[in-house]
Amino acid sequence: MKLSIIIPCFNEVQTIEKVVNAVIDCPVVDKEIIIVDDCSNDGTREILNSNINDKVDQIIFHDKNQGKGAALRTGFNAATGDILIVQDADLEYDPQEIPIVIEPILRDRADVVFGSRFQSGRPHRVVYYWHRLGNGFLTHLSNMFTNINLTDMETCYKAFRSDIIQNITIQENRFGFEPEITAKVARTNCRIYEVGISYYGRTYQEGKKIGWKDGIRAIYCIVKYNIIRN
């Protein structure tokens, strides 16, 4: 089965080339790599054009910054693989673990797989206590509405059968994508699995972007996409 790896990217000049090289080296033979640059202005675009363009299948440039959800929407629409997976453009997730995430789909056990940072004995960088508490709260709140028992709803590593994700309309432009897509796949009656992954979190000084306003938006999205169901 062909794997499409979607890399949403915004202002990741320090990490984008390292991430792309790591994705190229990940042990999946039949894969395409699609980068969606969300109007970076820190030199990332120049690196994509000069050093990376010939290494990947597609680079799509947004004319204005819209957010991670919008970049993923673009990437999913452009993908041609049987399986689609999200890979952030920072170094928080290890592309060598992509085969672990997609294995339940390859074995026809799952249609969607979440890579859980909190369900494994793999390395996990110790960073922000309040982020961990907020992540747990949002995951539990989402579970209450969806009636599925995830441990890490906000994880980057989400893999989908293409016929599942490409038939879902993504409305959220920013980090609201995570609770939105969780709500929408939960009510498709598809087979959802979790697998444990490692996590090399970074600090705000190192480029982390998500903040408390995104947490408030996530609560709104949990309610919106589980009750209003747009």
Side-chain angles (χ1 to χ4, degrees):
M1 299 179 76
K2 181 179 178 181
L3 174 67
S4 296
I5 303 171
I6 314 301
I7 307 177
C9 177
F10 175 65
N11 285 355
E12 298 291 359
V13 68
Q14 299 297 326
T15 60
I16 184 60
E17 192 165 6
K18 295 176 183 177
V19 167
V20 170
N21 288 334
V23 169
I24 291 170
D25 290 340
C26 87
V28 176
V29 176
D30 191 5
K31 61 179 180 283
E32 69 174 354
I33 303 171
I34 300 173
I35 301 172
V36 182
D37 181 81
D38 196 34
C39 202
S40 294
N41 55 22
D42 68 338
T44 299
R45 286 194 163 201
E46 288 72 17
I47 292 177
L48 290 173
N49 280 318
S50 61
N51 298 358
I52 296 175
N53 188 56
D54 294 335
K55 296 181 178 181
V56 301
D57 296 273
Q58 291 189 63
I59 301 178
I60 303 170
F61 294 99
H62 281 179
D63 292 331
K64 64 178 181 179
N65 179 252
Q66 301 174 62
K68 180 179 180 179
L72 289 176
R73 184 165 58 237
T74 297
F76 291 155
N77 288 336
T80 63
D82 304 291
I83 304 171
L84 280 60
I85 191 169
V86 179
Q87 170 70 55
D88 279 353
D90 51 38
L91 294 172
E92 293 190 336
Y93 296 82
D94 184 0
Q96 289 293 314
E97 297 181 0
I98 287 176
I100 297 172
V101 181
I102 67 174
E103 181 183 4
I105 300 178
L106 291 174
R107 297 181 64 183
D108 197 24
R109 298 282 182 84
D111 303 304
V112 177
V113 181
F114 287 63
S116 174
R117 295 165 289 180
F118 313 122
Q119 197 191 58
S120 76
R122 299 178 185 275
H124 184 112
R125 183 181 178 183
V126 176
V127 277
Y128 297 116
Y129 168 76
W130 290 108
H131 278 213
R132 176 65 183 91
L133 198 66
N135 188 297
F137 169 75
L138 292 173
T139 297
H140 283 298
L141 183 63
S142 174
N143 289 346
M144 289 171 64
F145 282 93
T146 60
N147 196 31
I148 59 176
N149 60 340
L150 291 172
T151 63
D152 191 4
M153 180 267 293
E154 293 281 351
T155 181
C156 155
Y157 268 167
K158 294 179 175 70
F160 312 87
R161 286 171 50 100
S162 60
D163 58 320
I164 298 292
I165 189 62
Q166 290 179 332
N167 282 302
I168 292 176
T169 300
I170 299 168
Q171 297 182 43
E172 291 297 308
N173 284 339
R174 285 183 49 80
F175 295 104
F177 162 81
E178 314 292 357
E180 177 190 4
I181 202 63
T182 302
K184 290 182 175 180
V185 298
R187 62 174 182 259
T188 64
N189 294 318
C190 64
R191 298 167 298 173
I192 302 172
Y193 272 61
E194 270 190 322
V195 297
I197 58 169
S198 54
Y199 179 60
Y200 304 92
R202 59 180 179 170
T203 65
Y204 286 105
Q205 291 76 20
E206 294 167 332
K208 195 171 188 67
K209 296 180 178 69
I210 195 167
W212 65 269
K213 291 182 180 178
D214 297 300
I216 299 299
R217 180 70 186 184
I219 295 172
Y220 169 79
C221 290
I222 290 170
V223 175
K224 176 181 179 180
Y225 295 108
N226 282 285
I227 295 180
I228 302 174
R229 297 194 173 192
N230 289 340

